[in-house]
Amino acid sequence: MVPAWTRRLIYIENILYYGNALTGKTTKLIAHYRDLTEKGLKTDSILVLVQDGREITRWREHLLKALPIAGSLQVFSYWGFVQSEVARHWNWAEKELYGSLASVRPSFITAEIAHFLITIMVNDHRMKGKMNTVATPEQMAIQILNNMNLAATFGMKLDEAFLRVQSVETDPARRIVIGEALAVARGFRKTCVESRSFDYSMAVEIFNTILLRDSRYREMLSKRFKVLIADNLEEGVPSQTDLVELMLQSCRSFAVFDPDGGHTDFFGADPDYAWDKLHSLYKIERCLLNPNTILADTVASNIKNGLTLETCSVEKPLIKLIDMDYRSELILSLAEHIEKLNSQGCSLDEIAIIAPVIDRVLEVSLKTLLKSKHIQVQLLNRREYLADKEFAQVMVVLVSLIEKSPLAVSELAQAFKIILGLDPVRSNLLAKFSNSKGLEAALPADLIGRIGFAANNRYREFCDWIIAKRNLSADASIFQQLFGEVMAGLVREEGDLSASRQLIQSAVSFEKSQGKIDLLKGMSFVEGFANMIRQGTIAAEAGKIQGAENNGVVLATPLAIFKSSRSFKYQFWVDGSSESWTPRRAREINNYHLMSKGWNGRWDDSMDIVKKAEGAAKTVSGLILRCTGEIVLLVSEYNSMGQEQEGDLPDIIRGSVGQV
Amino acid sequence: MISLRPGQVEVSQYQSGVLAVPAVPGAGKTTCLCHLACNLIANDLGPGKKILIVTVMNSAVSNFRHKMRNLLQEQGIQAKGYEVKTLHSLGLLILKQKPEKVLVNSAFDILTGDDRIGIINGLTDRWISSNRDRWQPYLKLSSDDRWYQRGVNSWISGIKDMVNSTITRIKLQGFSVQEQEGIQQRVLSGEDSFLKWAFEIMMEYDRYIRNMGRVDFDDLIVFAYRLLLDDMELRQRMQERWAYVFEDEAQDSTPLQEKLVRILSEKSGNLLRVGDINQGIMGFTGTDPSLFSRFCSEAANQPISVASRSTQDIMDFANHFVGWVRGSFPLEACRNALADQQIRGTYGDDPFPNPVVDGFALTVHDYETGDEELNAIAHKAAVAAKMFPHQTIAVLTRDNWSLNGLAKRLAELKVPWEDVSRGTTADQQSLEDVQTIVSFLAEPDNEVRFRELAERFMAGLDPDELDLLNNYLKERNPEDLLYPIDGFEIGSIPEELWASGSWNKVEELLFDLRRWLEYSHLPADDLILQLAGEMALDKEQRELVNSYAGQISRLLSDGPHHDLFSVTQAQELDRNMKLVIRNLRDRKGYSPKPGTVSLSTMHRSKGLEWDIVYLTGLAVDHFPDSLNQRFPGDIWSVKEEFRNPSALALAQLNAAEAGTGLDPGEIAVEAKIQEISENLRVIYVAITRARERLIISSHKKNTYNKVLESSSIFTEIAAYVKQNSK
């Protein structure tokens, strides 16, 4: 429900709401939207730019509630907007890019597919003795992809993102590796261009260097949108800032800027650039101060100074530190704290467990310990993957059986358990037999004795069905057939249906990519697709993100907390002495700090230290601003791998709140 | 308030500069260093500055931290201003500052020692199969010799050991990138040599682990050192971080470690190194006690020679042993194995005087065979454990084979024992419980695993009932009990189990198994954590099980095709878990329990002490004392001068570095001299573990019943004991 006072707002000029977290900035933007439409502006003339897919959902929900009649809502993330514009005006882009019109529609590849393809290319380089670093091909591929994205969003040529990192390096070995990484990036870009399959960086580059430079497009854009509403300008990449600046020439605008934000710098957010470019174009309205500002500022200042210089005395949020030897003790203690709060009547959605890295041990142990107390743990912002869905796994097994692709006994056993309705012991027995003898072989009498006659009949029927399917060509349609003929009858819950739907869609999409991209043509459809599923490359359902609903205790990384726009009464900071609380952005071939437009060409140890401290200060103060009650910092001497932890966050916090 | 002894007093007054502190066993150097560090912290190190203490073992780190915390608290000072590190954790800390500078991804993972051996051995196997023409000519046996295959196997195993140790030596030599590349280039383009083999395999190995995003323990130090060499700003930052650098156990330094601590203390000029050359027994890991010896001769020197650990008899004997080695050891080249230092007892009103016992503290025993020796010592230790229930007792052996033999015998005698290198029995049992369940879930139709599981979890039944249950299970398949198709045959249950109520426990287990089987579709790491959540575990046990799950997570991330079954078969998991258990034990610190016999190799006994110590196996098959005897590590199937390829490869490395030639025959002799010298130090370490009583034994025949030459070492000891016990 939008507060009544917001109705009084009059928009005679561009307004920028300036303030830190939880000060009601977004609510004001929504109120403006409502006012605008009430005054007769059509929704399709209002462009809303938000941070990501999750924010799109949130905005849409709010607007649908706030508006009497909903027209076509133009709510986009920057990536979504770019993608939609490139597709919409493809003819203009195609002619510029290829010199002629082939009228072949472009396709957009997800970050996961781009990562997969670059990993293959890195592997090829490694086979030739190149890219000699201590990093997996996947880790190298992420850095290459990141450099490409930074280049595009910072308005640079692809090469420059690599050459800047190379320019501050004196070690010849590292310079060579950076050059080799650039060669991979160029190869990948060539593949994208040839196959008309565009990743994020390529699409952004087309948008910025072709569409936005075309006066016809600019004119069309200015006619289409009368108002631009931009949430979280500080999280915008520089090319998004440039877009906002351009649109302000013809649009009225309402926007939000959080001076403590910029948490998505890893993805290219440049809050300083956004502020410098845009603040003079708006009337600034300062929002109320977050009550935790003093403490947040003290801690941030102590982190930046590297020493504990200041102590501040505040009543809230309370900060407590708990020291333990072992990580397992830490998890137990955490579970006990939450259980106690729950028994005292604290609402579970007021509790957040925040860890810089959420590993399986933390996640599963916590879930198991709290499950027995009927307390649910929600992972915030973690995408689910098809590899985690039992129903999807079974479908992949069936296709692999049809294709005679190799399978593990456990995979088969799991499929038999679901399809033939067998218990785990008998399904394992059967899986062992069929894996070694093949589906054609009849079961020996002793095995029939163990699994039972009824199960034998079902098994034989199943085998005959699979064998009959082997005559069909293995393409994406096989999944549809499988679902219709076998799996539809076994659906137990909505999740099974959505997993099947997503699997079928992904198969079709993979098949299309395979048809276009040479790198994927070498592998069989089933093997390639099954591998991607198993490696967790394909998300379970686009747009569906765990933890969106307020249900149970939240487990999240700091970034996920920031993106959620939620505050919590109780925050538990886990692994307090982990260095991951104070990460550095510099990598072997990648350094975000060198990408800014005003970069002075220098990079040294002191800058490294400053940037690291600034990042950590931003994270920690950002969390403090989102706490309304108590923060508990849980520290263990050793991490989950048994290694000592060296992070200095506990000392800084102790000093800041005057605890010993 | 601590009362310091002579030597300790002078050390605790240190303020600045470079100081060498040679300290005898039991001299209380940890206490002294902690005292000094606390004084310096109390006098203010300067803003943000700390003292760095580098030591060798995780257990020593725990010990230092514990003492520092207590001492500072006693003085009312916040427990800050110091960092205690092993060399590896120091390397890790430095590397984490800027891994990208040495082309290491910030998410790098550390390969355990055993994993490293597994990978190097695998690559060496591949090298061996494609380089037969290079290694075969070294064999002295012809292919028609009946021992040929055994000889080949022995040679291959020797090559693997050589490659492993040479890779460590190359890495820990402290070469810069350019120096190493230069040497590598010269070796690879030069004549064939063991060093060349090692370099070829090392290149493959490095490529392999780099592609996995991993570094080994040696790399941690190498990369840290190179970072400090190449990045002057980081070097300065690290130098400013530590106002003082203290190095403990400096006799176990490698060339690289020495360079590292020198760099870190370069700016402050404050370096204090404590060690005992006579306890330098880690030569197989690339350490070199002569480095500390040289340091002692160059720097200001403050020895600590008063110790309160042992009785006067034991100290006299240790001192005599040093004197005998230096003056009369038959092989003259080994007489410098031990430094000329004497342990002195406490005096005056020392609050911790040396122990005093009735009678002479030393005894010797000579047995016919090694077997007889182990039987007798096990028996004696068992009797001692009963007679002196408040005393701590240890049996020290030369090797693991003897240690395992003793463990078996003590178990037969029903005497409580523990291996100091392993975790507590309860920790291990909890891990084994989980492993047993996982093994069954990975193959639930396997009758043997089902019975093993039942036996383990029904261990509380009396033996007769357990037998009955076992027989009952043997006649049935797991599915008949877990998921009977036509219902359960109650009549088939043994009457006795039913009547005693024990069948209820079986039912409970079956119920649990059915529930656990429902988890079997989960990834292996999740499954283990689910199980751990349902089990009653103490904090160490839980840490162990969580580590197991963490190790499996890592395995799964290496290969998504791993399923539960392949996880149970993964040998690297077993290896890594042994390390986790050892680390856990180290962190808790090992405290011998009175009434329980501690078993340890002499090497691992360093840093520990017991009231009664049995020192076994002082015969020439374990401790050769002349050049013409057979050495335990010798490869018998190759020509004489190549029997110690590791020593040869090290000499080739030194020659390649210096650009000089070498004579394989001379190297072989030098290697034997080094080995005998280190053995003498091992014996010295073992002797000085005893507080009150020391029982030393030997044997006359080897395992093939062949009469051994008499050991000059044991002969001297026996004569000393005979003379002094009167």
Side-chain angles (χ1 to χ4, degrees), chain B residues 385-402:
Chain B
K386 280 183 190 147
M387 275 180 68
F388 307 108
H390 303 299
Q391 305 281 80
T392 56
I393 300 168
V395 184
L396 309 183
T397 64
R398 180 73 181 101
D399 52 35
N400 280 319
W401 187 86
S402 307

Side-chain angles (χ1 to χ4, degrees), chain A residues 455-520:
Chain A
N456 177 46
N457 292 339
R458 291 201 297 277
Y459 173 69
R460 201 57 266 154
E461 215 176 295
F462 167 79
C463 292
D464 292 344
W465 185 85
I466 292 278
I467 293 163
K469 292 286 172 198
R470 283 180 177 163
N471 301 324
L472 302 173
S473 64
D475 55 29
S477 65
I478 192 91
F479 284 99
Q480 272 159 318
Q481 286 187 39
L482 271 181
F483 182 75
E485 294 177 33
V486 183
M487 302 304 287
L490 301 169
V491 169
R492 300 160 297 184
E493 55 188 27
E494 171 56 28
D496 292 344
L497 265 182
S498 66
S500 311
R501 195 167 45 233
Q502 178 64 24
L503 189 77
I504 292 165
Q505 283 169 5
S506 300
V508 172
S509 156
F510 179 77
E511 193 176 34
K512 272 187 194 165
S513 301
Q514 200 177 21
K516 283 180 158 188
I517 300 171
D518 285 344
L519 275 172
L520 298 174

Side-chain angles (χ1 to χ4, degrees), chain A residues 568-609:
Chain A
F568 297 89
K569 190 169 180 188
Y570 296 96
Q571 289 186 5
F572 291 89
W573 297 1
V574 181
D575 293 330
S577 53
S578 160
E579 296 90 340
S580 303
W581 278 100
T582 52
R584 292 170 62 249
R585 294 277 180 258
R587 299 283 182 276
E588 305 91 279
I589 57 170
N590 190 235
N591 189 346
Y592 159 82
H593 302 298
L594 313 188
M595 299 300 137
S596 70
K597 295 202 174 175
W599 179 56
N600 62 7
R602 275 183 56 226
W603 179 251
D604 58 28
D605 194 59
S606 57
M607 291 165 76
D608 192 8
I609 299 291

Side-chain angles (χ1 to χ4, degrees), chain B residues 355-398:
Chain B
V356 177
V357 293
D358 293 336
F360 192 56
L362 279 82
T363 323
V364 289
H365 299 282
D366 198 7
Y367 299 95
E368 272 307 299
T369 64
D371 247 16
E372 195 184 310
E373 183 187 3
L374 294 184
N375 282 335
I377 296 298
H379 189 73
K380 281 177 188 295
V383 172
K386 280 183 190 147
M387 275 180 68
F388 307 108
H390 303 299
Q391 305 281 80
T392 56
I393 300 168
V395 184
L396 309 183
T397 64
R398 180 73 181 101

Side-chain angles (χ1 to χ4, degrees), chain B residues 630-661:
Chain B
R630 193 172 155 196
F631 281 61
D634 273 0
I635 297 157
W636 57 272
S637 53
V638 297
K639 293 163 191 164
E640 181 72 30
E641 64 270 37
F642 302 110
R643 285 187 174 178
N644 189 342
S646 299
L648 205 54
L650 175 64
Q652 286 163 352
L653 179 64
N654 293 335
E657 188 184 356
T660 56

Side-chain angles (χ1 to χ4, degrees), chain B residues 268-286:
Chain B
S268 67
N270 299 329
L271 172 64
L272 188 147
R273 304 179 75 197
V274 185
D276 179 2
I277 295 157
N278 290 354
Q279 293 190 69
I281 57 171
M282 309 292 278
F284 61 95
T285 61

Side-chain angles (χ1 to χ4, degrees), chain A residues 18-37:
Chain A
Y18 181 92
N20 41 31
L22 310 178
T23 49
K25 302 181 297 295
T26 304
T27 312
K28 289 175 185 169
L29 292 186
I30 294 169
H32 278 296
Y33 195 108
R34 182 181 169 141
D35 273 2
L36 290 163
T37 52

Side-chain angles (χ1 to χ4, degrees), chain A residues 126 134-135 143 326 328 360 410 426 428 432 450 584 604-605 609 637-638 642 644 646, chain B residues 65 85 97-98 100 103 105 110 210-211 233 237 443 445 447 479 483 526 539 543 563 587:
Chain A
R126 285 260 165 101
V134 180
Q143 292 188 62
Y326 301 122
S328 53
R360 296 300 282 170
S410 59
R426 291 185 175 87
N428 208 65
K432 270 185 181 170
R450 289 184 71 175
R584 292 170 62 249
D604 58 28
D605 194 59
I609 299 291
E637 195 167 341
Y638 301 96
E644 288 172 37
E646 308 280 352
Chain B
R65 285 186 181 152
K85 303 265 160 217
Q97 304 298 313
K98 280 188 184 177
E100 76 281 0
L103 287 168
N105 191 274
I110 303 169
R210 280 167 182 232
N211 199 44
E233 292 170 319
R237 178 148 59 90
E443 227 186 338
D445 54 300
E447 302 87 347
E479 69 272 16
Y483 304 100
D526 289 11
K539 66 177 187 179
E543 183 71 5
D563 66 353
R587 279 183 222 147

